[in-house]
Amino acid sequence: SRLPPAFLLVAAFLATPVCALPKILCLHGGGGNGAGFQRSSNVAALESALSAQYQFVYADAPEAGGLWIRDAPGGKGAGTTDPNWAATSMTYLDNLVESQGPFKGILGYSQGSAFATYYLSQRQANQTAPFQFAMLFCGYIPTVHAGLTDAINAASPFHGISTLVFMGQNDFIIQNSLTSAQAEKFT
């Protein structure tokens, strides 16, 4: 038997993929994880405010202890010169961008902001690819890792990607001077 034309129209409509919201890739701070970052009150408020325009995707740092950039063998302040010091996190994000992208923007907080800056230095091919914008909160340049910092300096200003850099007046962890130095890399 033949199906009525209205049924065929409905079936065609249901088979058509719904346009998904553009995505923002979110990188938590050092020692955290994606689920905890998503539950934090400020991030939850931002996601709620933008929920009609964007889908937030929360990544988990692949290094032990929830780090994007692992500490040097001599401790947190010892430093490194290896330009591939964050290779594990680079590979992890490359795979995530490939499997869950495309992404319209990247958002980073604290160490996630520092790593987002390094990731952009290595992957931002032009003003809009792979990201059209970056939102960086309470970040810094990972200066104890000279190899990463050299790569950031060489690629700055990252093809002019639109960037918001936020610093907290009462941030007692990441000094505003560190976030200002990060912001200068985008101008």
Side-chain angles (χ1 to χ4, degrees):
S1 81
R2 291 189 51 174
L3 296 173
F7 181 81
L8 294 174
L9 183 61
V10 169
F13 173 77
L14 293 175
T16 303
V18 176
C19 292
L21 291 174
K23 298 176 185 178
I24 298 173
L25 176 58
C26 303
L27 309 184
H28 60 80
N33 61 49
F37 190 42
Q38 183 177 16
R39 287 190 305 269
S40 69
S41 60
N42 291 333
V43 174
L46 179 63
E47 182 174 5
S48 177
L50 297 176
S51 64
Q53 293 89 18
Y54 295 98
Q55 176 186 355
F56 284 52
V57 175
Y58 294 88
D60 288 309
E63 296 287 0
L67 299 178
W68 296 104
I69 305 168
R70 67 189 192 280
D71 292 338
K76 197 171 195 169
T80 65
T81 57
D82 183 356
N84 297 309
W85 189 252
T88 300
S89 292
M90 291 296 292
T91 300
Y92 169 80
L93 272 197
D94 286 344
N95 291 335
L96 192 143
V97 167
E98 178 67 28
S99 66
Q100 296 187 37
F103 289 93
K104 190 88 143 191
I106 187 168
L107 180 155
Y109 170 72
S110 194
Q111 192 190 66
S113 177
F115 183 70
T117 302
Y118 177 68
Y119 191 76
L120 289 169
S121 79
Q122 299 303 292
R123 298 297 186 261
Q124 193 69 19
N126 58 54
Q127 191 172 16
T128 60
F131 304 103
Q132 292 184 20
F133 62 86
M135 296 185 292
L136 307 172
F137 295 87
C138 305
Y140 55 93
I141 299 300
T143 54
V144 298
H145 300 287
L148 304 183
T149 300
D150 289 347
I152 289 168
N153 290 337
S156 174
F158 320 110
H159 302 283
I161 183 174
S162 295
T163 306
L164 172 127
V165 178
F166 176 89
M167 65 183 85
Q169 182 177 0
N170 295 320
D171 186 342
F172 301 108
I173 306 291
I174 306 299
Q175 298 171 1
N176 285 342
S177 60
L178 298 175
T179 304
S180 292
Q182 179 189 39
E184 290 173 7
K185 303 299 179 188
F186 291 87
T187 57

